[in-house]
Amino acid sequence: MVAHSGLLTVMDRAARKAAPRLRRDFNEVQHLQVSRKGPADFVSMADKRAEQTLIEELRKARPDWRILAEEGGELPGDPDKPRFIVDPLDGTTNFLHGIPHFSIAIAVEDPNGSQGKPEITHGLVYQPLTDESFWAEKGRGAWLQDQRLRVSSRRDLSEALIATGIPFMGHGNFAEWSRIFGAVAPEVAGIRRLGSAALDLAWVAAGRFDGYWESDLKPWDVAAGMLLVKEAGGFVTDYRGQDMAMQRNQFLAANDGLHSKLHKLVANALR
Ligand code: IPD
Ligand code: CA
Ligand code: CA
């Protein structure tokens, strides 16, 4: 059993404050499905309201920190202090369609990390409908509530369940994704596209998925989840297997035993 730091408590509290309204709005969306106007405007309101609550809570606790939020963009603060990176609703398309799989993601980035470069130090992925709180602190491991997380121990691709994000209208590189899919799918036990990048990564950390790939994401989709995977003993790289995932906007995550096998398949497919 481990207690999280004061900062993680702030993040967890903020997510839990935003969650009840999101849950209510999600139930409402299921009713709106049948109306002719459709629930799209309603969902974008729910999204904005959740972000507002998160920002208020985070600001209350750390008034001088910057916040990068999906809807509101960059909110100013002290450039020498860390900043919060917030996705109030990851899995919007699921939410809109009444599919119960979405999350709130909050990360903290220290502008002067261990190598003098910006570094993610805290990450939280909270799933309002299951009340699961996945969290990680740099150097202190990854956790689901008070249970330590460890990536899966599967070593054979033939047993691996791999998550991905499929490009969609106006978003991502379908030709590239298809080549990777063509190389990976025949080798593994299954591929899933569940629709929340933050949860995909959290589930790699939790050993539910053995690996994950996706490109063209935003920092708020992946910042918290990447720390979760690393702190759970897994790897997150770009498609060439280098520590440049954010810079290249390519995310290849897997447990320690499968990452190099998966990376070889992906790198070959893109050659
Ligand atoms: C999306 C989800 C999805 C990923 C998309 C993201 P949103 O975030 O993370 O899994 O494939 O690229 O945009 O829009 O639901 O916050
Ligand atoms: Ca997102
Ligand atoms: Ca979002």
Side-chain angles (χ1 to χ4, degrees), residues 13 22 46 88 165-166 185-186 210 244:
R13 203 178 291 150
L22 266 186
I166 307 177
D210 305 295
M244 300 273 283

Side-chain angles (χ1 to χ4, degrees), residues 53 57 62 66 170 213:
T53 304
E57 287 299 304
R62 298 290 186 276
R66 292 159 298 142
W213 90 90

Side-chain angles (χ1 to χ4, degrees), residues 109-187:
E109 182 188 64
D110 179 352
N112 315 296
S114 50
Q115 288 153 12
K117 290 187 301 187
E119 182 178 56
I120 304 297
T121 54
H122 299 69
L124 174 91
V125 178
Y126 180 71
Q127 196 173 3
L129 296 180
T130 59
D131 193 35
E132 286 180 307
S133 175
F134 300 89
W135 58 276
E137 297 188 35
K138 182 108 216 298
R140 297 189 65 208
W143 303 79
L144 169 54
Q145 263 81 265
D146 57 3
Q147 178 195 329
R148 182 108 196 208
L149 294 179
R150 171 87 201 135
V151 287
S152 75
S153 55
R154 290 185 196 88
R155 293 284 178 269
D156 288 331
L157 281 170
S158 64
E159 292 174 359
L161 186 58
I162 307 293
T164 185
I166 307 177
F168 50 93
M169 195 175 60
H171 193 104
N173 179 338
F174 189 70
E176 180 188 77
W177 181 86
S178 303
R179 281 163 78 174
I180 299 173
F181 178 74
V184 173
E187 306 290 332

Side-chain angles (χ1 to χ4, degrees), residues 44 52 71 73 117 131 184 199 223 247 265 268:
S44 101
Q52 209 42 51
E71 304 298 326
K117 290 187 301 187
D131 193 35
V184 173
L199 278 174
Q247 295 88 326
L265 282 179
N268 275 335

Side-chain angles (χ1 to χ4, degrees), residues 47-118:
D47 202 345
K48 292 201 178 85
R49 268 198 299 263
E51 182 169 299
Q52 209 42 51
T53 304
L54 292 169
I55 289 172
E56 276 165 26
E57 287 299 304
L58 298 173
R59 269 272 141 98
K60 226 190 282 169
R62 298 290 186 276
D64 50 351
W65 288 17
R66 292 159 298 142
I67 303 180
L68 173 65
E70 180 176 14
E71 304 298 326
E74 187 86 57
L75 307 178
D78 185 341
D80 296 324
K81 298 264 170 73
R83 70 168 177 170
F84 291 111
I85 302 179
V86 175
D87 190 341
L89 174 57
D90 189 55
T92 321
T93 307
N94 284 342
F95 194 97
L96 180 58
H97 287 255
I99 295 171
H101 188 79
F102 54 87
S103 60
I104 295 169
I106 307 173
V108 169
E109 182 188 64
D110 179 352
N112 315 296
S114 50
Q115 288 153 12
K117 290 187 301 187

